[in-house]
Amino acid sequence: MMDDFDWPDLARRFGTPAYVYDGDALARQITGLREALHPDLEIFFSLKSNPNPAVYGILHAHGARAEVSSLAELTTVLAAGTAPRDILFLGPGKSERELAACIDNGLYAIVCESFQELADIDRLAAERDVRQRVMLRVNPAYSASGSRLTMGGKPRQFGIDEAAVLEAGDLVARHPNVDLAGIQAYLGTRILDADVVVGNTTYILDLSERVSAALGIRLDVVDVGGGLGVPYFDGEEEFDLKALQAELNPLLDTFRAAHPGTRLIMESGRYLTADAGTYVVGVRYTKESMGERFAVTDGGTHHHMAAVGIGSFVKRNFPIELLAHGDGDGRGRGDSHGDSGGVAEPEAGTGRWTVTGPLCTPNDTIGKKVALPALNPGDLLGVRRSGAYGPSASPVLFLSHGYPAEVLVTGGEARLIRERDTTDDLLAKYRP
Ligand SMILES: *Cc1c(COP(=O)(O)O)cnc(C)c1O
């Protein structure tokens, strides 16, 4: 769990709503993952989960490499000093500019998602008189249960179907400027069960050998995807790294013995950043409607779309806590106990609160009937485990509120790592 901060002080200095990241927790998370997993398994951070350069900077400083899917993400990791050989570019609809940037920057590999894209890469590399290493993204004929979002064994816009890859015999000969030398597969996200990751990895390692034999290619690299999850909701349990270590590492040892020169890659986004982030919002109004209590806050689902709930009928809540009572009401502050950051013991009025935002839609519900102490305007609430797929994966322009501030706290020092959007920012791009 992340450290607690002087939330009222952070709110005074940086305002709310804001995303606050615990830099020390980020460092611990990547270090813990690297230490648990096979020393030859390289962790590539998926910038999609949190594109803030300061967040990437910490992960990179602790050994994360980069998996990017846009020019801005590529520029971010290059600017952070990432060696091109530690960058992968992936995505089902890459532009010609993006492909050219991969080649011109000498990226280790482009993860290619279609035969047409392969032809494009071949042409662009030929124009530059170079050969570009390419990994084929394979859509496996295998479906991982236990993942919240199954990616294999189904029609997908991602990658090339396993059967089509295995039948594409003359692929190498037809693309002389492509150095086809590995595969990638990604079988799901939010996986909380180590056995599922082991099952996926077993399948992908075997698939890599079958593809290598069928196409007659070297295996410079195998990217086994990843998708390690964090628990958000009641009843979910922490991913068991020890169990993964016990089962996965021997598997990789065996593969390593057969393929000593092959780079082994695991991608990770959510697992590395989710825990380190708290979305901090201030209560603006409290009210009651037909027996239900509401706390209307200055933040909302335009910054935290995931809190709306992922495809389930019953809304499940992210962990939401009272971080601090406001200045005005004379309660709470100074009664600090444990790690709950200046929050008083539950008192009369503790009960269920529906936490909403400023948007004019009933969907703008951050938490439904959350157990919280009595709330008043000025109180600070925190949505925990919010460091992944936060504002960058939310409709920040809805109702023209714009991006929230982002703050990084490392070694007790807090600094702004993204300014909140101003009205000028929001209006500057419109044309009459
Ligand atoms: C989104 C994505 C990831 C990151 O997934 P997490 O569940 O956040 O770890 C990794 N690889 C691919 C191909 C992805 O699309």
Side-chain angles (χ1 to χ4, degrees):
M1 228 16 197
M2 63 180 291
D3 288 337
D4 256 293
F5 303 130
D6 184 345
W7 297 106
D9 181 57
L10 290 174
R12 260 190 305 275
R13 285 171 61 196
F14 301 103
T16 57
Y19 272 82
V20 177
Y21 303 110
D22 180 341
D24 303 324
L26 285 170
R28 280 197 301 275
Q29 193 72 355
I30 175 73
T31 304
L33 185 63
R34 292 186 62 221
E35 285 175 354
L37 297 182
H38 197 289
D40 292 339
L41 185 61
E42 302 175 55
I43 308 295
F44 277 58
F45 175 58
S46 306
L47 270 87
K48 178 181 76 180
S49 67
N50 189 321
N52 193 300
V55 167
Y56 175 70
I58 291 183
L59 294 173
H60 180 57
H62 290 83
R65 302 160 178 357
E67 179 247 293
V68 300
S69 299
S70 67
L71 279 183
E73 290 183 357
L74 175 59
T75 305
T76 298
V77 302
L78 287 170
T82 314
R85 78 176 304 271
D86 291 333
I87 305 173
L88 295 179
F89 200 114
L90 175 154
K94 303 177 197 75
S95 69
E96 190 154 315
R97 253 184 90 197
E98 289 169 337
L99 292 174
C102 293
I103 299 169
D104 293 338
N105 285 290
L107 295 205
Y108 178 72
I110 300 172
V111 179
C112 172
E113 310 226 11
S114 71
F115 290 129
Q116 289 171 353
E117 184 189 335
L118 197 64
D120 283 346
I121 298 168
D122 189 51
R123 174 173 51 78
L124 292 167
E127 284 167 15
R128 289 161 174 75
D129 204 15
V130 295
R131 282 187 95 210
Q132 172 63 46
R133 187 186 289 100
V134 167
M135 300 156 68
L136 280 187
R137 179 167 183 179
V138 185
N139 178 29
Y142 168 85
S143 181
S145 61
S147 161
R148 300 302 182 282
L149 200 105
T150 309
M151 302 287 274
K154 276 189 179 170
R156 288 289 177 203
Q157 74 269 47
F158 306 110
I160 307 172
D161 286 356
E162 178 178 325
V165 170
L166 292 172
E167 284 158 20
D170 60 346
L171 211 54
V172 172
R174 282 192 287 122
H175 301 96
N177 289 80
V178 163
D179 184 16
L180 202 58
I183 71 160
Q184 186 271 4
Y186 174 74
L187 276 74
T189 185
R190 293 239 308 119
I191 302 172
L192 290 170
D193 182 347
D195 287 341
V196 173
V197 176
V198 173
N200 290 348
T201 307
T202 306
Y203 191 87
I204 295 164
L205 292 177
D206 174 71
L207 177 62
S208 74
E209 291 176 334
R210 289 188 285 127
V211 170
S212 161
L215 301 183
I217 59 169
R218 299 189 316 280
L219 276 184
D220 285 356
V221 54
V222 178
D223 179 344
V224 299
L228 272 56
V230 297
Y232 292 121
F233 308 121
D234 285 348
E236 290 184 340
E237 279 182 32
E238 212 70 54
F239 190 93
D240 188 348
L241 262 196
K242 285 257 178 298
L244 185 66
Q245 179 180 46
E247 294 182 66
L248 189 67
N249 292 8
L251 193 71
L252 296 178
D253 272 333
T254 308
F255 188 83
R256 201 104 219 77
H259 306 276
T262 302
R263 280 182 95 173
L264 294 168
I265 290 174
M266 177 180 271
E267 300 162 359
S268 183
R270 189 186 314 271
Y271 185 83
L272 293 178
T273 57
D275 239 8
T278 301
Y279 179 45
V280 184
V281 301
V283 176
R284 280 201 176 129
Y285 301 102
T286 55
K287 58 165 80 169
E288 205 173 301
S289 169
M290 302 202 171
E292 190 167 328
R293 272 183 294 186
F294 288 84
V296 182
T297 74
D298 54 16
T301 55
H302 56 308
H303 295 162
H304 201 317
M305 193 61 179
V308 174
I310 315 163
S312 55
F313 283 116
V314 186
K315 176 166 166 47
R316 300 193 292 171
N317 294 322
F318 267 61
I320 300 177
E321 288 171 33
L322 175 63
L323 300 175
H325 281 300
D327 281 320
D329 58 18
R331 286 174 304 146
R333 211 91 69 63
D335 295 339
S336 171
H337 65 93
D339 64 352
S340 55
V343 176
E345 290 293 347
E347 56 192 275
T350 293
R352 300 272 164 187
W353 290 84
T354 293
V355 181
T356 64
L359 306 184
C360 306
T361 157
N363 288 336
D364 190 21
T365 300
I366 301 172
K368 179 101 177 145
K369 296 183 178 169
V370 186
L372 286 166
L375 296 178
N376 287 288
D379 290 348
L380 292 175
L381 297 176
V383 187
R384 300 293 201 172
R385 311 213 134 177
S386 297
Y389 304 103
S392 72
S394 301
V396 295
L397 296 179
F398 198 32
L399 275 88
S400 300
H401 287 295
Y403 220 88
E406 292 184 301
V407 174
L408 179 68
V409 187
T410 356
E413 295 289 320
R415 72 187 162 96
L416 189 67
I417 57 170
R418 195 192 195 286
E419 291 177 21
R420 71 184 68 255
D421 284 348
T422 64
T423 299
D424 285 347
D425 294 332
L426 290 161
L427 298 182
K429 294 205 168 161
Y430 291 108
R431 295 292 176 265

